[in-house]
Amino acid sequence: MVMAGIRLTFHWRLFVLLMAFSLVLVASFVSFQYIREKHYKAEQLDEMLQLYNMQIADALELGVEPEDFAKRHPAPIDGLRISLIGRDGNVIYDSEGNPTVNHLSRPEVAQALDEGSGFDVRRLSQTTNVTYFYSALATPDIIVRTAAPYSVTLSELLSADRGFLWYMLAVTLLMCLIAYFATRKLGVAIERLNQFAARAERGEKVYADASFPNNELGEISRHIVKLYASQQQAMEMKHRLTNNLNHELKTPLAAMQVCLETLMSHPDLTKEKRMQFLERCYGNSQRLQSLLADVSMITRLEHGERQITTEPLSIADVIQTVADEYQDQGLPIIFEPKGSAEVMGNRQLLESLFQNLISNANSYSQGTEIRISLSEESGKAQVVVEDDGVGIPEEHLPHIFERFYRVDKGRSRKNGGTGLGLAIVKNTVLFHHGAISASNRLPHGLKVSISLPLIFNEIEKK
């Protein structure tokens, strides 16, 4: 809707339409009630005059002249005019004159002849040139008619009650107020949803914390925005993963290409040099294989939940198996279990989880030992993996579980890391409906805390 070149918002368009409908409805009701009330008051006045007409008819039967009757019986309304009309329509007597016009066509006379009585609310008299309210009563011989001058008093008597009109006006204003706030909530939801659609169409960043009114439309709008924001976030994560993966693949591939080009362009290299280049190619191919395996593991955890089988497992057994595997390959591992901590899980994923944590500590902590504790608290298996090394700067702690995030990029690549180890750890914990956090321990070192639901809690959930 456009008014004077200005496009109204959805809220105002809806408000105007609703108010137009409401006003038409109220106006129709008021008009009907107004006409009905005036007709009711006209009938009341007619009843009063009909009583007087009956008294005149009774007096005429007794031989009393109309003038004598009027002198003895005061009229209920000042200036009342009395007429006697024959059933043929000719006027026999009129207190204001003796009209010669036939009255059969007059509404009150015609109605009286048909129904026994009748009235006409307002009509100008051709005889006196005065506006009257007419009331007629038919008798077997004549028609008695009285006419009340349409004075200010009579007009006020027949008018509808203005209190009702004021009441309806107040109701209308209240309806306007309610309609404004009701349409405003709908309008706000529609406008914000429209803004979201425009931003989405332009490819702009959309956040899931958009504010909408607390109604059904607002709920639907919030769900739509959250769904789009989640999809947008997933697309961004896939884009970052693709970029990071492309970057990570370039390094070993470039190194392999340099080695192969050197071998091809220098066939006279010594056996020792050729072996060095071949070993570099092999090492980078191993790194590529690890990187692809980690990417496959991340994808499997995020999108293949139904394909991953679970079984009752002892966390203590899983940790002990990994600890024994790494016992002679790095820092000494001290494992202190308190209970077996039975969980529903996938053994391969859980072993990979602790392998990554121990491997990280061996590669980057620069400590002297790794301690792993296990306990059962509040229906959870609580695992803490900690070292006494250099720890991690606080600004990096919130990001260490992100894909390809490295605290020291140069040292990480030198040690052969793919940058996905801790991301796999986090996704494995989430797959098992657990929680994970990392913090620096005092006086120094890194502490990783893992919480997994015990098997009886999983059974209760199912």
Side-chain angles (χ1 to χ4, degrees):
M1 184 180 294
V2 179
M3 294 181 64
I6 301 175
R7 185 178 183 275
L8 295 178
T9 63
F10 176 81
H11 164 220
W12 283 107
R13 294 200 304 273
L14 184 60
F15 174 71
V16 169
L17 289 175
L18 184 59
M19 285 314 305
F21 172 78
S22 300
L23 289 175
V24 169
L25 187 64
V26 169
S28 299
F29 177 74
V30 169
S31 299
F32 171 77
Q33 187 66 20
Y34 184 80
I35 295 172
R36 182 182 177 187
E37 186 175 356
K38 289 193 69 174
H39 186 73
Y40 171 72
K41 290 189 173 184
E43 287 181 338
Q44 284 186 318
L45 177 59
D46 179 58
E47 288 178 3
M48 180 176 63
L49 294 179
Q50 289 292 356
L51 289 175
Y52 195 68
N53 291 341
M54 292 176 64
Q55 292 177 357
I56 295 174
D58 291 340
L60 291 174
E61 288 185 3
L62 295 175
V64 179
E65 294 296 327
E67 293 89 346
D68 295 336
F69 175 84
K71 292 177 182 178
R72 297 175 186 175
H73 300 82
I77 296 177
D78 292 337
L80 191 67
R81 177 183 173 188
I82 301 173
S83 301
L84 302 179
I85 305 168
R87 297 187 68 89
D88 58 358
N90 293 319
V91 178
I92 301 172
Y93 168 81
D94 190 284
S95 61
E96 298 296 329
N98 191 16
T100 58
V101 180
N102 189 282
H103 281 42
L104 279 180
S105 61
R106 303 297 169 85
E108 71 280 3
V109 174
Q111 186 179 6
L113 289 172
D114 290 339
E115 303 175 12
S117 64
F119 68 89
D120 190 13
V121 177
R122 187 168 184 169
R123 191 177 75 247
L124 182 67
S125 171
Q126 296 179 1
T127 304
T128 63
N129 202 30
V130 176
T131 301
Y132 291 98
F133 177 94
Y134 294 96
S135 178
L137 174 67
T139 68
D141 300 321
I142 60 172
I143 297 171
V144 179
R145 188 185 71 174
T146 51
Y150 221 92
S151 60
V152 175
T153 304
L154 184 63
S155 178
E156 292 177 351
L157 178 65
L158 292 176
S159 64
D161 184 8
R162 294 186 180 275
F164 170 76
L165 298 178
W166 286 111
Y167 172 77
M168 291 307 300
L169 177 61
V171 170
T172 303
L173 293 176
L174 181 61
M175 288 175 62
C176 291
L177 190 63
I178 295 173
Y180 173 79
F181 286 105
T183 55
R184 184 181 175 211
K185 284 192 174 183
L186 290 174
V188 168
I190 293 295
E191 284 298 317
R192 291 182 181 173
L193 193 59
N194 186 41
Q195 292 171 5
F196 153 73
R199 293 181 62 186
E201 185 179 10
R202 294 192 297 267
E204 297 179 3
K205 178 71 174 176
V206 174
Y207 298 94
D209 58 352
S211 176
F212 288 93
N214 293 322
N215 52 36
E216 288 79 0
L217 183 57
E219 284 296 319
I220 294 173
S221 301
R222 273 192 290 271
H223 290 318
I224 293 174
V225 173
K226 285 182 180 179
L227 178 61
Y228 182 84
S230 298
Q231 291 181 341
Q232 193 179 56
Q233 186 177 12
M235 292 299 294
E236 289 176 357
M237 291 176 64
K238 288 182 179 179
H239 182 68
R240 286 199 300 268
L241 176 61
T242 302
N243 288 341
N244 289 333
L245 187 57
N246 181 54
H247 180 71
E248 294 295 328
L249 289 172
K250 280 182 179 179
T251 303
L253 284 174
M256 292 171 64
Q257 185 175 359
V258 169
C259 291
L260 293 172
E261 287 176 352
T262 302
L263 289 171
M264 292 175 65
S265 60
H266 297 84
D268 56 343
L269 287 174
T270 63
K271 184 177 181 180
E272 290 78 9
K273 284 289 184 181
R274 292 176 66 84
M275 184 57 65
Q276 288 179 5
F277 284 115
L278 289 173
E279 286 176 352
R280 286 184 188 177
C281 284
Y282 180 75
N284 281 289
S285 69
Q286 289 291 95
R287 183 178 173 187
L288 281 175
Q289 186 176 359
S290 297
L291 180 61
L292 294 174
D294 285 349
V295 171
S296 176
M297 178 71 75
I298 288 282
T299 305
R300 187 180 172 206
L301 284 168
E302 291 183 345
H303 304 291
E305 184 174 345
R306 295 181 181 177
Q307 301 172 3
I308 300 175
T309 59
T310 59
E311 59 182 334
L313 293 173
S314 166
I315 290 293
D317 289 345
V318 173
I319 296 175
Q320 190 63 61
T321 299
V322 177
D324 292 342
E325 178 186 342
Y326 278 82
Q327 195 63 254
D328 298 323
Q329 299 184 25
L331 302 178
I333 300 174
I334 302 172
F335 178 39
E336 301 172 338
K338 294 181 181 178
S340 60
E342 296 282 332
V343 301
M344 285 294 294
N346 180 279
R347 189 176 190 89
Q348 180 185 358
L349 292 180
L350 290 174
E351 286 184 357
S352 175
L353 183 156
F354 293 108
Q355 287 168 357
N356 275 297
L357 291 177
I358 292 172
S359 178
N360 264 24
N362 282 329
S363 300
Y364 310 119
S365 72
Q366 302 179 30
T368 61
E369 66 178 16
I370 300 172
R371 285 185 173 272
I372 305 176
S373 63
L374 170 65
S375 62
E376 298 180 7
E377 299 176 13
S378 304
K380 303 280 186 180
Q382 306 291 346
V383 184
V384 176
V385 181
E386 53 189 348
D387 60 64
D388 58 352
V390 295
I392 294 177
E394 291 293 331
E395 65 270 19
H396 294 290
L397 277 176
H399 307 288
I400 63 173
F401 294 110
E402 297 176 5
R403 302 168 185 174
F404 298 110
Y405 189 86
R406 290 186 172 91
V407 176
D408 188 336
K409 296 182 179 180
R411 189 175 67 176
S412 298
R413 287 198 176 90
K414 185 178 180 180
N415 291 340
T418 64
L420 291 173
L422 291 181
I424 291 175
V425 168
K426 179 180 179 181
N427 280 275
T428 299
V429 172
L430 294 178
F431 171 80
H432 288 86
H433 310 292
I436 186 170
S437 63
S439 60
N440 285 313
R441 63 186 294 268
L442 296 176
H444 46 76
L446 181 67
K447 173 181 176 182
V448 177
S449 302
I450 299 171
S451 175
L452 298 173
L454 294 173
I455 193 167
F456 61 82
N457 276 359
E458 289 294 296
I459 294 173
E460 287 177 359
K461 286 180 182 179
K462 294 179 179 178

